[in-house]
Amino acid sequence: MVLFFTSSAVDPSATIYMGKDKVENEDLIKYAWPQDVWFHVDKLSSAHVYLRMPKSMDWEAIPKALLTDCAQLVKANSIEGNKKDDLTIIYTPGDNLKKQGDMAVGQVSFHSDKRVKRIHVPKRENPIVNRLNKTKVEKVVDHEQERTDRVKQENAEKRAIAAQRKQEEADLAKQRAEEKAARSYDLLFNVEEDLDAPKLTGKAIEEDFM
């Protein structure tokens, strides 16, 4: 089971989710999306909370209010951390999570410590936690099928972008060809008059053609 929450701290709203237990956390680590950001209480046991960022959002520039929502949800779902003040929450992109065979269930490390950020949580903020809990939805997720559908959609979007770019390039090439043809036409039929040539009178023109 996966628990989904909706954060109204940003507009449009953002999706936050977490596993119901440590076994589910294993699947979440394995199937995290490219735009997922993982949150956890530093040095304490807690839920693995994920933020599914909009594609336009960068993990290093997550709005402060949204970071606070994620951090409060992590704190509230830590047995020990929920009782303490002045906690540190760590977060990193999902693709930075590293799972090795000898690790315990739910345990992770990082490919790069430089891609791990921290946020300080002075205390639990019940209004935030209550707001998020009111949006909680529990779902059974077929992670493999979800990944297949996501990859298929992403590939379709890439093909559409490539087709649009190809059409734009063809339109531009056609426009340039038409402009070049127009310039050649103008040069052919707009020969400049020779100002130094003698001016012919009407009679001279007649004689010139006789």
Side-chain angles (χ1 to χ4, degrees), residues 2 16 47 64 88 130 136 143 147 168 175 201 209-210:
V2 181
I16 304 171
K64 185 177 180 180
T88 297
N130 292 340
K136 182 170 66 175
H143 297 288
R147 179 163 65 180
E168 290 172 351
Q175 179 184 343
T201 63
F209 280 92
M210 291 178 63

Side-chain angles (χ1 to χ4, degrees), residues 123-166:
K123 62 179 181 179
R124 174 180 169 127
E125 296 186 33
N126 285 322
I128 294 177
V129 176
N130 292 340
R131 167 170 54 80
L132 290 170
N133 279 332
K134 286 178 182 178
T135 70
K136 182 170 66 175
V137 176
E138 188 171 322
K139 297 180 183 178
V140 176
V141 178
D142 184 337
H143 297 288
E144 189 64 41
Q145 185 61 50
E146 188 180 59
R147 179 163 65 180
T148 299
D149 294 341
R150 174 178 58 82
V151 171
K152 186 182 297 183
Q153 180 180 349
E154 289 174 350
N155 288 338
E157 291 172 355
K158 289 177 182 177
R159 287 194 297 270
I161 292 172
Q164 181 180 355
R165 185 182 297 116
K166 185 176 181 179

Side-chain angles (χ1 to χ4, degrees), residues 36-40 50 59 90-97 109-110 112-117:
D36 286 349
V37 180
W38 174 89
F39 291 77
H40 197 275
Y50 293 80
W59 83 276
I90 57 176
Y91 63 101
T92 191
D95 61 9
N96 192 40
L97 297 177
S109 61
F110 310 112
S112 172
D113 290 338
K114 293 180 179 179
R115 298 183 70 205
V116 179
K117 287 182 152 309

Side-chain angles (χ1 to χ4, degrees), residues 50-67:
Y50 293 80
L51 165 66
R52 181 150 294 164
M53 297 186 299
K55 291 183 179 180
S56 60
M57 188 179 291
D58 185 277
W59 83 276
E60 294 187 278
I62 298 172
K64 185 177 180 180
L66 183 53
L67 276 178

Side-chain angles (χ1 to χ4, degrees), residues 162-176:
Q164 181 180 355
R165 185 182 297 116
K166 185 176 181 179
Q167 184 60 51
E168 290 172 351
E169 291 172 352
D171 291 343
L172 181 58
K174 181 180 178 182
Q175 179 184 343
R176 288 175 175 171

